[in-house]
Amino acid sequence: MDIHTTIHISDHNKLKLERLAVLLNMNVNHITCLLITYYIQKNSKAIKMFSRIRYQKRKNNEKWLRLHVTFSPGFYEKCQDLRKFHKLSISSILSKAIELYSQEIIKNKYDNYFHNYIIFMKIVDDSPQFLILWNYQEEKKMRKLYEMYENS
């Protein structure tokens, strides 16, 4: 079952998002997922710890709108992890992705994103440990990785 959520976005960025969707012949929801996924790939080492979540900076001349999006359960969980690991709101991540990667997506015709999301947990010395996999495509490799994790 898909998850419906709301992202706050400036009118300027919403217009860019809509133009990008038209240009690439995709719907806004698909472009939103695409941009967030692209952000993940480009910023995989930007993990921060022990700080607060940062939100978008508001500019006086911008109008703020709500963007209603629908994510698969796996993609929604990925966004929640992304928020936690990067200490940025999803709205902020989307805005950064629009500003930084729109032209790159147009140029490269990037349209590949995966919704796979797997989380494993085991208890070691009374302490839970988690292994989170995003965008894992091959089931055989995933099972092998899980077995290695379980046996470590």
Side-chain angles (χ1 to χ4, degrees):
M1 180 160 85
D2 288 340
I3 297 172
H4 306 284
T5 191
T6 304
I7 295 176
H8 288 92
I9 189 168
S10 70
D11 57 348
H12 176 72
N13 276 341
K14 187 170 184 192
L15 183 61
K16 280 185 174 182
L17 197 61
E18 289 167 347
R19 286 181 180 163
L20 191 58
V22 168
L23 188 62
L24 295 176
N25 197 28
M26 297 177 189
N27 65 44
V28 171
N29 200 81
H30 187 90
I31 292 293
T32 300
C33 294
L34 192 64
L35 283 163
I36 291 170
T37 300
Y38 205 74
Y39 178 91
I40 291 168
Q41 291 176 347
K42 293 289 190 175
N43 295 280
S44 61
K45 296 181 181 176
I47 293 176
K48 296 185 186 251
M49 294 179 63
F50 309 114
S51 64
R52 66 177 182 81
I53 302 292
R54 288 175 288 142
Y55 297 90
Q56 298 177 72
K57 293 184 179 178
R58 295 187 181 235
K59 297 175 186 164
N60 290 335
N61 59 346
E62 284 185 321
K63 182 179 177 186
W64 290 86
L65 307 169
R66 286 182 291 247
L67 175 66
H68 300 286
V69 292
T70 304
F71 294 150
S72 71
F75 193 79
Y76 181 81
E77 290 297 324
K78 188 188 311 184
C79 286
Q80 295 305 306
D81 288 345
L82 186 62
R83 181 180 194 268
K84 184 174 164 181
F85 296 148
H86 289 253
K87 300 298 185 190
L88 292 170
S89 70
I90 297 305
S91 299
S92 183
I93 288 169
L94 178 59
S95 290
K96 284 180 180 241
I98 290 168
E99 296 296 328
L100 297 172
Y101 305 122
S102 292
Q103 292 303 315
E104 203 168 323
I105 286 174
I106 293 167
K107 181 179 161 191
N108 297 328
K109 302 237 185 298
Y110 180 87
D111 67 353
N112 193 14
Y113 70 95
F114 300 93
H115 292 298
N116 299 350
Y117 179 89
I118 303 151
I119 185 167
F120 301 113
M121 183 194 83
K122 70 178 182 177
I123 305 294
V124 177
D125 297 329
D126 296 325
S127 205
Q129 292 184 353
F130 296 93
L131 174 65
I132 300 170
L133 302 176
W134 293 345
N135 301 339
Y136 219 78
Q137 300 170 40
E138 294 182 43
E139 191 173 337
K140 286 181 183 177
K141 287 183 180 179
M142 181 199 65
R143 285 184 186 172
K144 186 175 180 179
L145 186 61
Y146 175 72
E147 289 171 9
M148 289 171 33
Y149 176 70
E150 278 296 306
N151 296 325
S152 64

